[in-house]
Amino acid sequence: MAKLKVNGVTDTSGNQYGFRNGQIIQVRNYMYTDIYEDTTTSERDLPGILGNGLAGIKTHSNRNHIQFEATIHAGQNADWRCTGFRVYWRVGQSGSWNALNSANFTSTVYIAGSSGHSRATSTIAKFDPVAGSSASVGDNVYFKISFEGHNDGNGLHINKNMSTNSTAQENAYSFASTMTLSELWRDS
């Protein structure tokens, strides 16, 4: 018995068959597990893959959307803080960074002591890489996240967590802050 295996069927115009609108056709997941602390109040990029601008996804069609998801573990420390997170995107490595305002999010944390507390904050947004840009099939679309603290808080403590009453820099429960990019199929 013969078997035919294909990973896509297209017509002469390049339209691919077999996918439904909204179906996820690829996923790129990025993870940051180190502990990062910063008390700066001005806007700056998150550390590692979350903020260095190298997290990207290459689209299969210029009609498809990208679903952006992020979860940041704001960590524990003996104080309160409020942090704003801003998401940026660009097409290609040399394109200019643009704000993805529908994905921006905040984290407000109050901890009277430092024992066993952590706060995860998340966002999810759908992004059309063609709207407002010159993205085309095969272009890489890159994302990064920045943060800004406030004047009187205790700063950002990504992935910092302990099971004891300590402010030691530990990730006792192996928390990970993540960014996930998914390509969503669209027929038109």
Side-chain angles (χ1 to χ4, degrees):
M1 172 179 245
K3 291 183 181 179
L4 175 64
K5 294 184 178 182
V6 296
N7 62 4
V9 177
T10 58
D11 64 15
T12 57
S13 299
N15 298 313
Q16 189 159 349
Y17 298 104
F19 294 129
R20 293 186 315 259
N21 277 329
Q23 183 175 351
I24 295 173
I25 61 173
Q26 69 165 316
V27 176
R28 298 290 180 263
N29 190 49
Y30 300 95
M31 184 182 320
Y32 183 81
T33 58
D34 292 345
I35 295 166
Y36 175 79
E37 295 186 286
D38 192 320
T39 58
T40 307
T41 57
S42 60
E43 183 180 5
R44 56 193 309 124
D45 292 335
L46 284 178
I49 194 66
L50 301 176
N52 66 12
L54 297 177
I57 191 167
K58 184 184 288 190
T59 59
H60 289 86
S61 169
N62 61 358
R63 292 183 304 248
N64 293 348
H65 283 162
I66 297 171
Q67 182 170 287
F68 174 90
E69 301 174 67
T71 298
I72 306 297
H73 288 277
Q76 71 180 52
N77 217 58
D79 206 342
W80 75 278
R81 59 205 175 276
C82 182
T83 306
F85 298 95
R86 186 172 286 140
V87 178
Y88 291 94
W89 65 274
R90 74 176 176 191
V91 176
Q93 284 292 329
S94 60
S96 59
W97 288 106
N98 304 283
L100 179 58
N101 293 323
S102 61
N104 296 340
F105 56 113
T106 63
S107 173
T108 302
V109 180
Y110 175 76
I111 299 173
S114 55
S115 181
H117 299 279
S118 186
R119 166 81 165 99
T121 186
S122 300
T123 188
I124 186 169
K126 189 165 48 170
F127 171 66
D128 182 352
V130 176
S133 76
S134 58
S136 60
V137 176
D139 282 344
N140 281 309
V141 181
Y142 295 96
F143 294 85
K144 71 176 184 173
I145 305 170
S146 70
F147 72 96
E148 186 169 346
H150 57 94
N151 293 332
D152 298 320
N154 187 257
L156 182 62
H157 305 275
I158 294 179
N159 299 333
K160 183 177 176 185
N161 59 86
M162 292 282 296
S163 60
T164 62
N165 194 16
S166 168
T167 58
Q169 287 193 343
E170 283 194 35
N171 188 348
Y173 295 105
S174 302
F175 285 173
S177 294
T178 61
M179 180 190 311
T180 303
L181 308 172
S182 305
E183 184 178 5
L184 306 177
W185 180 260
R186 277 195 342 164
D187 288 333
S188 57

